[in-house]
């Protein structure tokens, strides 16, 4: 072996002794900020809550229906049921599930607390509903603007100074 890398001899190790670089190592990025510090105030002012994509949410609902339909189809095929009967039962189940989903569309079908990492639209929808529920519980108006009270107070002070 050259330059004291790896094993002194590969005998008895069960390897060829060939040394490779670790390609999965990620270098630490301590010196890089995720956003410029000078733009922090502007970043806080421009923050808006992520809006869920309704098409993706609808697609996920339909996908869950099709998963249940496929499970029924698979079970019926294992039981060697006639193909026409399988089609009939799966179409009935599909209609029933879609009707249930259509009825629950305005309700909150995702009363879950934990989401999978890829379910960002469901998370956004749940967060908006949670914020709305909290806003109503605290009696905050829909037109509330953070820091608006201080701006109104400053305007009153300026008007009183201008009037004097």
């Amino acid at each position: 072996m050259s330059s004291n890398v790896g094993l002194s001899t590969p005998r008895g190790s069960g390897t060829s002794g060939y040394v490779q670089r670790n390609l999965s190592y990620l270098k630490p990025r301590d010196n890089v900020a995720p956003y410029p510090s000078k733009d922090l105030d502007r970043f806080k002012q421009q923050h808006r809550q992520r809006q869920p994509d309704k098409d993706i949410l609808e697609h996920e609902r339909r996908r869950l229906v099709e998963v249940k339909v496929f499970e029924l189809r698979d079970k019926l095929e294992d039981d060697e049921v006639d193909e026409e009967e399988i089609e009939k039962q799966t179409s009935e189940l599909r209609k029933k599930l879609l009707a249930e989903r259509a009825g629950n569309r305005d309700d909150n079908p995702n009363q879950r607390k934990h989401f999978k990492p890829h379910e960002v639209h469901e998370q956004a929808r749940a967060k908006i509903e949670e914020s709305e529920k909290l806003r109503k519980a605290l009696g905050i108006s829909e037109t509330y603007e953070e820091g608006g009270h201080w701006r109104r107070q400053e305007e009153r002070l300026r008007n009183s100074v201008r009037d004097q």
Side-chain angles (χ1 to χ4, degrees):
M1 298 291 336
S2 62
S3 68
N4 289 334
V5 177
L7 304 170
S8 59
T9 176
R11 289 180 62 194
S13 68
T15 67
S16 67
Y18 182 73
V19 178
Q20 297 186 64
R21 188 168 55 118
N22 184 359
L23 298 175
S24 64
Y25 176 72
L26 298 175
K27 295 178 184 174
R29 296 175 22 159
D30 291 351
N31 58 351
V32 179
Y35 45 82
S37 60
K38 64 182 177 182
D39 294 337
L40 183 60
D41 293 332
R42 190 177 67 195
F43 173 75
K44 286 181 180 178
Q45 291 172 354
Q46 293 176 349
H47 174 69
R48 288 182 308 217
Q49 195 164 19
R50 176 185 292 194
Q51 297 297 316
D53 188 347
K54 294 185 187 330
D55 293 335
I56 292 176
L57 291 172
E58 180 63 26
H59 175 79
E60 182 65 19
R61 282 189 206 107
R62 289 178 183 251
R63 190 190 68 78
L64 291 174
V65 167
E66 290 302 319
V67 166
K68 290 181 181 178
V69 168
F70 182 76
E71 287 172 353
L72 175 66
R73 173 180 283 280
D74 193 36
K75 179 180 165 267
L76 293 175
E77 286 175 353
D78 287 345
D79 295 341
E80 298 179 2
V81 177
D82 186 33
E83 187 65 32
E84 294 170 3
E85 182 64 25
I86 291 175
E87 288 297 323
K88 180 183 172 193
Q89 288 187 19
T90 55
S91 64
E92 287 175 3
L93 179 65
R94 184 179 290 116
K95 288 178 185 175
K96 177 184 158 211
L97 291 174
L98 287 174
E100 287 176 6
R101 297 280 180 183
N104 288 340
R105 183 169 291 161
D106 293 334
D107 296 338
N108 189 3
N110 291 337
Q111 289 276 343
R112 306 183 306 197
K113 299 243 185 235
H114 303 289
F115 295 95
K116 295 178 181 172
H118 66 273
E119 297 177 325
V120 293
H121 295 276
E122 287 87 352
Q123 289 174 349
R125 179 174 171 230
K127 183 64 177 174
I128 288 172
E129 290 173 0
E130 178 186 5
S131 298
E132 189 65 23
K133 188 188 246 184
L134 181 65
R135 184 188 62 75
K136 287 179 181 176
L138 296 176
I140 300 172
S141 70
E142 291 182 31
T143 59
Y144 174 77
E145 183 180 336
E146 189 174 338
H149 171 74
W150 302 111
R151 282 189 220 106
R152 286 191 298 272
Q153 197 172 21
E154 287 176 8
E155 289 174 9
R156 278 190 237 125
L157 183 62
R158 276 190 236 127
N159 290 340
S160 66
V161 169
R162 194 175 347 140
D163 291 342
Q164 292 178 353

